């Protein structure tokens, strides 16, 4: 259907008016495209697409047909627009949407495209299939500026777009927790919709071998299953695991390819090998058969360095290469502590006979045996930056994760590199301190932190810049146990990542990015993706009033600045007429505060959050307020059991130091404390760091929670003996009287429980008047 601004028939004008009322042209100034294209020029007038429009492709233009069908399907699912895909001899003469492969398209860069919207319709042209696909994705975004259904008006515009980097990736760890092929496909679709093109699939680790290898069936018969810690650990039903059959892998690889995504498999070696060694002890160093690990972190099991093991791994790589057409094959190389190699006379003898000076150099030799093998088969090896340590294997490309130094060093030496530095691009990090944030690492990496990431390290000289292939985010899944948690961790930080790898540096602008986000959030809702609204969700904090027990000072805040916060105090959902929050308000108790953040044009940016504030909630502190102590380095938010998938409960722990701080507690009138806590599994491989775990002397059999005034070495206010150490996953409540103090104080909670066996963690600390009636949250 055509419509120019000048020749719009009356019925169209009516539709347009409705669209305007619905916010259909809200983006006239800022097309809702993520990632922001290289060039956008918005013109005058608009074009309306309704269900009478078709998507036109030339006969024989397979790339256009593929992109057209993907677009048609997306539009049907999200906008309710069912557009026919038509093969027309002369598609350029039609209105509607035209997709066309064109060797002379004005954008010459690989994966680039040109998109025009004018009075005649929407046209996308590209020199390659990926570009056409990305143009179709941009068209979809232009047609979904909001969550309304049906006809949509698109402003006239011209887009010329191409990616800044060739490697635009996401790594997913399917070893620590397993995702079904359907869950993986959800991730692949979302990647494609963000113009990301490399899916790095972490398929093997200490906790599971997830890839069927025909020649070595025990890798999955044994290596894909583990016995989780917890009350049911002895029952067969508690076995955790899963693996991908070769047929499923082919299906996933084809699904990705249809979306212009390359799947880069990772077979981790020589460390993170425990599941493989559990399946075939003869490829391990000690000859003993370990269990498939249930401990996250660093485990000691390495592959052997004898020819038998090298051949075994070459045979595995044969099947890997058969399944994955990717040029790059990832062989891990990370976190391989060398204890087993050092302790083994056979490995030491082999090292000497090879003339290799130490175990780091032995790892280089080991990796290079894989690199040469892959090169012989026309592939390229990539590994984590530890492969630099013993001298960089000549054939290797480097994925740098321990900051960016590995990338700088390797690029200077002329090797290709991909950046995925921790902590910024580690999406297992929480994105806010909110108590409704699910499990993950406690080092918060907000949406803004990810947006600030710059892929090209300035230390890399211009002539070596070509070695920076791009960047990826890594989704490690120790604490992301279910697909919804992966989605929460990935969206919307994937939007920030997409701009880091696609958008020209000069076009990146966080403020304008945030303005384009509401439309993207709408698409997430239409697609049923469980995105995080953490950056905008309202924190509702009550502060006890010193002079009166009957009121509290309530502060509303958000991580990102937002145009308007509206709130209610009667339990209703805030709307356009609700009070606007400007500064902390004193409210009579009890009160239920509900708040929603809005954009300048009145669109909600987050789900409503509600908080009941009364005298007991003012004296009760949950995971948002139980911060770790200085110098603890392994801060985590964990579920009750390592494989639990429920959103709650979660517990903040620091595996290295069982210490928590609570800020600004009013102690006037407080005479008791209750801690709702749990015994958690201590399933962490700490390797050489195990000696650094802080141990404290306990006074009672199971240890206690000690509460100290002001500082962790301050006066002891209360000591709460911990109940009998049951199985991990057991919640408990510990209570105690508390010595009287006045005023507002910081408090420190210490656990004196033994550092072996289950780990005690507080989930909520509540203060009350008398011990006989500890306040319940
Ligand atoms: C380090 S990053 C690892 C992984 C963990 C990750 C997060 C890297 C190459 N190795 O084994 O999953 O930290 O805990």
């Amino acid at each position: 259907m055509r419509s120019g601004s000048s020749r719009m028939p009356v019925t169209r004008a009516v539709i347009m008016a409705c669209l305007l009322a619905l916010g259909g042209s809200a983006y006239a100034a800022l097309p809702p495209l993520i990632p922001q294209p290289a060039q956008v020029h918005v013109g005058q007038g608009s074009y309306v697409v309704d269900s009478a429009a078709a998507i036109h492709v030339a006969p024989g233009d397979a790339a256009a047909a593929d992109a057209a069908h993907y677009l048609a399907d997306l539009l049907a699912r999200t906008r309710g627009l069912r557009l026919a895909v038509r093969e027309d001899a002369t598609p350029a003469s039609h209105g509607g949407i035209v997709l066309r492969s064109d060797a002379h398209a004005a954008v010459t860069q690989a994966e680039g495209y040109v998109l025009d919207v004018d009075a005649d319709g929407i046209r996308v042209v590209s020199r390659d299939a990926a570009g056409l696909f990305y143009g179709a994705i941009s068209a979809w975004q232009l047609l979904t500026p909001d969550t309304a259904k049906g006809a949509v008006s698109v402003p006239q515009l011209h887009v010329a777009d191409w990616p800044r980097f060739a490697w635009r990736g996401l790594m997913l760890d399917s070893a620590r927790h397993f995702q079904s092929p359907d869950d993986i496909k959800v991730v692949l679709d979302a990647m494609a919709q963000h113009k990301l093109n490399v899916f790095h699939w972490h398929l093997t680790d200490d906790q599971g071998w997830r890839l069927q290898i025909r020649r070595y069936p025990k890798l999955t018969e044994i290596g894909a299953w583990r016995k989780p810690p917890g009350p049911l650990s002895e029952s067969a039903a508690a076995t955790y695991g899963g693996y991908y059959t070769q047929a499923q892998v082919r299906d996933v690889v084809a699904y990705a390819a249809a979306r212009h995504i390359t799947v880069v498999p990772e077979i981790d070696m020589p460390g993170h090998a425990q599941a493989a060694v559990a399946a075939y002890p003869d490829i391990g160093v000690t000859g003993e058969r370990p269990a498939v690990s249930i401990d996250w972190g660093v485990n000691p099991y390495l592959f052997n360095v004898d020819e038998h093991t090298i051949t075994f791994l070459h045979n595995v790589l044969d099947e890997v290469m058969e399944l994955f057409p990717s040029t790059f094959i990832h062989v891990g190389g990370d976190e391989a502590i060398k204890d087993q190699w050092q302790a083994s006379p056979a490995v030491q003898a082999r090292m000497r006979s090879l003339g290799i000076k130490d175990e780091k150099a032995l790892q280089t030799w080991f990796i290079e045996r894989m690199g040469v093998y892959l090169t012989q088969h026309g592939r390229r090896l990539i590994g984590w930056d530890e492969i630099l340590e013993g001298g960089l294997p000549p054939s290797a490309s480097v994925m740098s994760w321990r900051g960016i130094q590995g990338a700088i060093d390797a690029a200077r030496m002329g090797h290709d590199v991909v950046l995925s530095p921790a902590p910024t691009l580690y999406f297992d990090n929480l994105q806010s301190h909110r108590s409704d944030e699910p499990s993950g690492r406690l080092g918060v990496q907000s949406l803004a932190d990810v947006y600030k990431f710059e892929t090209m390290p300035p230390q890399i000289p211009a002539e070596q810049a070509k070695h920076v292939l791009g960047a990826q985010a890594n989704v490690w899944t120790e604490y992301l146990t279910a697909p919804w948690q992966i989605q929460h961790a990935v969206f919307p930080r994937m939007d920030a990542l997409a701009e880091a790898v696609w958008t020209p540096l000069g076009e990146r602008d966080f403020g304008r990015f945030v303005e384009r986000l509401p439309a993207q959030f709408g698409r997430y809702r239409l697609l049923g993706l469980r995105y995080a609204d953490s950056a905008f969700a309202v924190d509702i904090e009550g502060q006890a009033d010193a002079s009166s027990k009957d009121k509290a000072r309530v502060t509303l805040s958000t991580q990102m600045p937002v145009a308007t916060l509206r709130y209610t105090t009667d339990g209703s959902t805030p709307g356009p007429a609700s009070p606007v929050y400007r500064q902390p308000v004193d409210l009579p108790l009890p009160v239920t505060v509900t708040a929603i953040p809005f954009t300048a044009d009145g669109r909600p940016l987050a789900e409503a959050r509600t908080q009941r504030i009364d005298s007991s909630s003012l004296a009760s502190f949950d995971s948002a307020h139980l911060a770790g102590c200085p110098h603890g380095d392994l801060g985590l938010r964990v579920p009750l059991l390592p494989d639990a998938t429920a959103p709650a409960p979660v517990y903040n722990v620091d595996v290295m130091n069982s210490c928590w701080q609570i800020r600004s507690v009013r102690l006037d009138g407080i005479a008791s404390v209750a801690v709702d806590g749990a015994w958690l599994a201590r399933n962490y491989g700490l390797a050489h760091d195990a000696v650094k775990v802080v141990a404290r002397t306990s006074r009672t059999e199971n240890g206690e929670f000690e509460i100290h005034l002001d500082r962790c070495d301050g006066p002891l206010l209360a000591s709460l003996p911990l109940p009998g150490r049951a199985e991990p996953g057991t919640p408990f409540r510990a209570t105690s009287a508390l010595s009287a103090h006045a005023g507002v104080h910081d408090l420190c909670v210490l656990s004196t429980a033994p550092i072996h066996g289950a780990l005690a963690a507080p989930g909520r600390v509540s203060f009350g008047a008398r011990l006989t009636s500890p306040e319940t949250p």
Side-chain angles (χ1 to χ4, degrees), residues 169-177 179 187 191 199-202 384 420 425-429 441 472-483 485-491 493-494 497:
L170 188 78
M171 188 220 76
L172 179 62
D173 171 5
S174 296
R176 273 55 176 272
H177 284 103
Q179 307 87 25
V187 173
M191 287 179 65
F199 178 63
H200 168 177
W201 202 0
H202 187 77
W384 299 110
S420 59
L425 294 189
Y426 270 43
F427 284 0
D428 53 341
N429 284 301
R441 289 179 172 267
Q472 67 179 36
N474 295 336
V475 185
W476 299 105
T477 58
E478 290 97 322
Y479 316 106
L480 306 180
T481 57
Q485 290 176 341
I486 290 172
Q487 293 178 14
H488 181 97
V490 167
F491 312 115
R493 289 187 291 190
M494 181 186 272
L497 170 73

Side-chain angles (χ1 to χ4, degrees), residues 105-117:
V107 167
T108 58
Q109 288 88 341
E111 307 178 83
Y113 65 93
V114 180
L115 182 156
D116 282 288
V117 182

Side-chain angles (χ1 to χ4, degrees), residues 347-408:
V347 170
Q348 291 298 313
R350 172 98 161 136
M351 196 169 91
R352 277 192 300 277
S353 74
L354 290 165
I356 293 172
K357 71 170 191 308
D358 62 12
E359 291 77 18
K360 284 186 174 173
L362 187 59
Q363 166 152 332
T364 297
W365 170 87
F366 183 101
I367 294 290
E368 187 57 7
R369 287 294 303 271
M370 302 301 145
V372 168
Y373 193 73
L374 291 172
T375 308
Q376 284 165 355
H377 291 79
R379 307 299 181 97
R380 294 177 62 187
L381 177 148
I382 188 163
W384 299 110
D385 57 37
E386 283 98 326
I387 65 173
L388 281 160
E389 283 176 354
L392 188 53
S395 69
S397 300
V398 172
M399 190 169 274
S400 81
W401 72 278
R402 298 175 302 176
I404 59 169
Q405 194 56 43
I408 296 167

Side-chain angles (χ1 to χ4, degrees), residues 288-320:
E288 282 154 30
R289 185 193 295 276
V292 176
S293 183
I294 54 166
D295 292 341
W296 315 133
V298 177
N299 292 293
Y301 284 86
L302 300 186
F303 285 117
N304 205 325
V305 295
D306 59 2
E307 282 308 306
H308 168 71
T309 304
I310 299 286
T311 303
F312 182 104
L313 291 170
H314 286 173
N315 292 338
V316 167
L317 289 179
D318 283 344
E319 293 192 33
V320 167

Side-chain angles (χ1 to χ4, degrees), residues 434-436 536-543 552-559 565-569 572 574 581 585 587 589 591-597 607-614 617-618 620 622 624-625:
R434 302 180 54 79
S435 58
D436 57 14
F536 306 100
V538 182
D539 272 320
I540 304 167
E541 286 290 340
Q543 187 81 44
R553 174 146 297 193
V554 177
T555 305
L556 305 187
S557 61
T558 51
Q559 187 185 67
L565 289 184
R566 291 184 188 273
Y567 68 100
T568 62
T569 53
S572 65
Y581 175 84
V585 277
L587 296 173
L589 299 182
V591 65
T592 297
V593 178
T594 306
I596 296 186
E607 296 267 299
R609 298 299 203 276
T610 294
Q611 182 75 46
R612 185 185 146 88
I613 303 172
D614 58 20
S617 80
L618 289 172
S620 179
D622 65 8
H625 301 92

Side-chain angles (χ1 to χ4, degrees), residues 1 125 165 176 186 239 337 357 375 387 393 435 467 497 509 525 561 574 594 629 636 660 695 703 709 712 715 749 757:
M1 179 186 80
V125 294
F165 292 101
R176 273 55 176 272
V186 170
T239 301
I337 48 161
K357 71 170 191 308
T375 308
I387 65 173
S435 58
H467 290 303
L497 170 73
D509 179 318
R525 289 195 294 276
T594 306
C629 296
L636 306 170
W660 298 262
L709 187 71
C712 295
V749 181

Side-chain angles (χ1 to χ4, degrees), residues 407-770:
I408 296 167
D409 295 345
R412 284 203 178 128
M413 290 187 259
H415 292 257
D416 286 347
V417 301
V418 173
L419 287 100
S420 59
T424 316
L425 294 189
Y426 270 43
F427 284 0
D428 53 341
N429 284 301
L430 266 55
Q431 47 205 309
S432 81
H433 294 284
R434 302 180 54 79
S435 58
D436 57 14
E437 206 66 76
S439 47
R441 289 179 172 267
L442 278 178
V444 166
Q445 297 300 318
S446 70
L447 184 63
D449 293 329
V450 176
Y451 198 86
K452 273 183 251 151
F453 173 72
E454 163 52 16
T455 303
M456 185 62 72
Q459 299 89 333
I460 295 182
E463 63 278 14
Q464 306 290 11
K466 62 173 186 292
H467 290 303
V468 177
L469 302 182
Q472 67 179 36
N474 295 336
V475 185
W476 299 105
T477 58
E478 290 97 322
Y479 316 106
L480 306 180
T481 57
W484 73 267
Q485 290 176 341
I486 290 172
Q487 293 178 14
H488 181 97
V490 167
F491 312 115
R493 289 187 291 190
M494 181 186 272
D495 295 285
L497 170 73
E499 301 222 339
V501 288
W502 179 281
T503 304
L505 194 51
E507 297 301 315
R508 286 174 65 195
D509 179 318
F510 187 58
R512 292 170 72 86
F513 168 74
V514 170
E515 284 177 48
R516 288 178 278 117
L517 268 182
Q520 188 76 331
F521 284 2
R523 291 181 201 107
Y524 287 145
R525 289 195 294 276
L526 292 169
L527 292 165
L529 294 174
R530 298 271 298 264
Y531 67 98
D533 62 6
S534 316
F536 306 100
V538 182
D539 272 320
I540 304 167
E541 286 290 340
Q543 187 81 44
D545 190 295
S547 57
S548 161
K549 280 196 166 317
D550 302 326
K551 59 180 177 152
R553 174 146 297 193
V554 177
T555 305
L556 305 187
S557 61
T558 51
Q559 187 185 67
M560 290 298 311
V562 298
T564 317
L565 289 184
R566 291 184 188 273
Y567 68 100
T568 62
T569 53
D570 60 2
S572 65
T573 304
S578 303
V580 173
Y581 175 84
R582 296 181 204 285
Q583 61 198 34
V585 277
D586 293 323
L587 296 173
L589 299 182
V591 65
T592 297
V593 178
T594 306
I596 296 186
F598 290 95
T599 60
D601 57 358
R603 287 173 296 171
L605 276 162
E607 296 267 299
R609 298 299 203 276
T610 294
Q611 182 75 46
R612 185 185 146 88
I613 303 172
D614 58 20
S615 57
S616 59
S617 80
L618 289 172
S620 179
F621 300 87
D622 65 8
S623 59
H625 301 92
L626 289 162
C629 296
H631 313 304
D633 335 277
L634 194 45
L636 306 170
R637 175 170 290 180
V638 296
L640 190 56
L641 280 167
D643 304 322
T645 57
V650 289
Y651 299 87
N652 292 354
V653 298
D654 182 334
V655 177
M656 305 306 291
N657 185 7
S658 285
C659 174
W660 298 262
Q661 303 180 95
I662 310 176
R663 300 264 173 236
S664 307
V665 181
R666 177 163 293 284
L667 290 177
D668 307 82
I670 296 297
S672 73
V673 58
V675 178
D676 292 289
W679 289 112
L680 304 171
R682 193 190 292 271
N683 59 325
Y684 304 96
L686 297 177
H688 302 151
D689 288 338
V691 294
K692 297 187 200 154
V693 177
V694 177
R696 297 190 174 84
T697 317
S698 44
R699 298 154 204 258
T700 55
E701 191 190 344
N702 304 300
E704 44 280 314
F705 281 140
E706 291 183 352
I707 303 197
H708 293 263
L709 187 71
D710 297 324
R711 295 186 320 275
C712 295
D713 57 359
L716 182 66
L717 289 188
S719 179
L720 296 75
L722 296 169
R725 286 222 276 174
E727 293 269 20
T730 313
F732 61 77
R733 168 169 262 230
T735 55
S736 165
L738 182 136
S739 56
H741 277 271
V744 174
H745 293 266
D746 292 345
L747 300 179
C748 172
V749 181
L750 297 175
S751 162
T752 63
I755 61 169
H756 301 289
L759 181 78
R764 177 178 284 278
V765 180
S766 309
F767 299 91
R770 295 183 314 278

